[in-house]
């Protein structure tokens, strides 16, 4: 492991969130020699990573999700394969999985995400702003769920809150990584009394890096990764749960949805 930290290194928890993997997974990759931290503090043992290691992580996870063994992943990662050859390899393996088993559809969706991220690495957008977020009070629901099942919970949670409050627009969701799980809070900003079954959650005032995601929630992970990569590359330290503000969320197919992404930062 390296003994000198880069100025833009991130703690393992921040890098896990940026890479959309778990802390446990990063530690495992370190232990088996697939992805070592950029720096390990010799006194505390804390691991930290550089934003540039995201490119390696995307390729590693894509290969693993496509069914390659860890030893095969190790050999492929050590090769001098070009970006085009790497992309061709992934797409060839994707075709094999499509023919082999219908149940691979879930795995393929994850691979599509990684392929798009790899293609966008050198052209990630930079239209973000740092602004002050006022303190607010959400009335809604809080739930801790496995990281991989987030999408299955957010919609039903909002439906429950909407029915209780009689509101259907302007919702807010916050996401906090908690080990291998994610703590989700969904609700609406209001000073109204809290109906039975709901809770009030105070969101503190903070500075945040903010951007906009247009369209379906199916691709919002890409927008989050781009925003967090920009924030980390510009020296911002993450501070608190990230937030999604659904400025326009009316159509069933989500084609015209407008979502503001807000990542609180220190300072």
């Amino acid at each position: 492991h390296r003994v000198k930290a880069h100025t833009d290194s991130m703690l393992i928890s921040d890098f896990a969130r940026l890479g959309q993997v778990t802390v446990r997974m990063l530690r495992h990759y370190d232990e088996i020699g697939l992805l070592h931290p950029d720096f390990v503090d010799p006194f505390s043992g804390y691991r930290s990573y550089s934003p540039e290691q995201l490119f390696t992580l995307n390729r590693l996870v894509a290969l693993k999700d496509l069914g390659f063994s860890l030893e095969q992943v190790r050999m492929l990662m050590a090769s001098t394969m070009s970006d085009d050859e790497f992309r061709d390899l992934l797409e060839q393996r994707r075709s094999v999985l499509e023919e082999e088993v219908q149940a691979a559809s879930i795995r393929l969706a994850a691979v599509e995400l990684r392929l798009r991220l790899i293609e966008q690495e050198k052209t990630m957008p930079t239209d973000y702003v740092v602004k002050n977020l006022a303190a607010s009070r959400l009335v809604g629901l809080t739930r801790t769920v496995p990281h991989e099942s987030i999408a299955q919970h957010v919609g039903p949670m909002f439906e429950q809150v909407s029915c209780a409050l009689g509101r259907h627009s302007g919702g807010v969701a916050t996401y906090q990584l908690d080990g291998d799980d994610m703590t989700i809070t969904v609700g609406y900003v209001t000073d109204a009394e809290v109906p039975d079954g709901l809770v009030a959650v105070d969101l503190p005032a903070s500075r945040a890096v903010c951007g906009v995601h247009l369209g379906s929630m199916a691709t919002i992970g890409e927008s989050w990764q781009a925003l967090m990569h920009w924030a980390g590359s510009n020296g911002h330290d993450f501070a608190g749960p990230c937030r999604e503000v659904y400025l326009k969320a009316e159509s069933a197919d989500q084609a015209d949805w407008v979502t503001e992404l807000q990542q609180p930062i220190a300072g």
Side-chain angles (χ1 to χ4, degrees):
H1 297 188
R2 300 184 185 180
V3 296
K4 183 178 180 182
H6 293 296
T7 56
D8 59 350
S9 290
M10 294 178 287
L11 292 178
I12 189 171
S13 57
D14 291 333
F15 187 72
R17 188 194 303 181
L18 172 61
Q20 300 178 40
V21 296
T22 65
V23 170
R24 183 175 63 184
M25 189 177 294
L26 288 176
R27 287 176 176 152
H28 181 58
Y29 291 159
D30 180 18
E31 291 168 0
I32 64 176
L34 277 177
L35 181 61
H36 291 308
D38 185 56
F39 172 72
V40 177
D41 190 289
F43 301 103
S44 67
Y46 287 164
R47 297 170 169 91
S48 58
Y49 294 78
S50 68
E52 289 72 22
Q53 290 183 285
L54 172 66
F55 307 146
T56 300
L57 178 63
N58 279 337
R59 286 161 172 74
L60 193 164
V61 174
L63 289 168
K64 188 176 78 67
D65 284 345
L66 280 165
F68 289 101
S69 69
L70 289 178
E71 189 55 36
Q72 290 172 320
V73 171
R74 189 192 312 278
M75 294 174 61
L76 290 168
M77 295 292 289
S79 72
T80 56
M81 194 180 304
S82 69
D83 286 347
D84 287 341
E85 290 171 332
F86 187 87
R87 190 174 295 109
D88 289 343
L89 174 65
L90 296 184
E91 293 184 348
Q92 290 170 12
R93 181 64 173 172
R94 179 181 64 185
S95 297
V96 171
L97 286 173
E98 287 175 328
E99 295 171 358
E100 286 180 346
V101 57
Q102 185 176 2
S105 59
I106 296 176
R107 179 185 296 169
L108 288 169
V111 171
E112 288 291 349
L113 168 63
R114 295 294 170 176
L115 285 172
R116 287 195 298 270
L117 290 171
I118 290 168
E119 292 169 356
Q120 294 170 6
E121 284 168 359
K122 295 181 175 60
T123 59
M124 286 185 173
T126 58
D127 50 342
Y128 305 112
V129 296
V130 177
K131 67 180 182 181
N132 294 321
L133 303 180
S136 58
R137 174 180 179 266
L138 287 185
V139 174
L141 289 173
T142 294
R143 189 173 297 165
T144 299
V145 303
H147 186 277
E148 62 273 13
S149 68
I150 295 171
Q152 301 172 22
H153 292 273
V154 174
M157 289 171 69
F158 262 119
E159 289 179 11
Q160 184 178 341
V161 175
S162 297
C163 290
L165 292 176
R167 299 184 61 173
H168 302 280
S169 61
V172 177
T174 73
Y175 301 89
Q176 175 68 57
L177 191 63
D178 184 11
D180 292 332
D181 296 328
M182 184 73 76
T183 297
I184 308 168
T185 297
V186 308
Y188 295 88
V189 177
T190 178
D191 294 325
E193 292 186 8
V194 182
D196 291 342
L198 302 187
V199 296
V201 177
D202 292 320
L203 300 182
S206 68
R207 285 175 59 75
V209 175
C210 301
V212 173
H213 172 76
L214 302 177
S216 171
M217 295 295 101
T219 58
I220 199 167
E222 298 168 45
S223 295
W224 269 119
Q225 187 173 104
L227 183 149
M228 290 180 176
H229 185 275
W230 182 90
S233 298
N234 283 274
H236 297 297
D237 296 322
F238 304 143
C242 60
R243 309 176 188 180
E244 293 177 358
V245 180
Y246 305 103
L247 303 176
K248 183 178 181 181
E250 299 166 1
S251 62
D253 64 3
Q254 302 181 353
D256 60 350
W257 280 28
V258 179
T259 307
E260 181 172 87
L261 313 182
Q262 301 175 345
Q263 175 56 62
I265 56 176

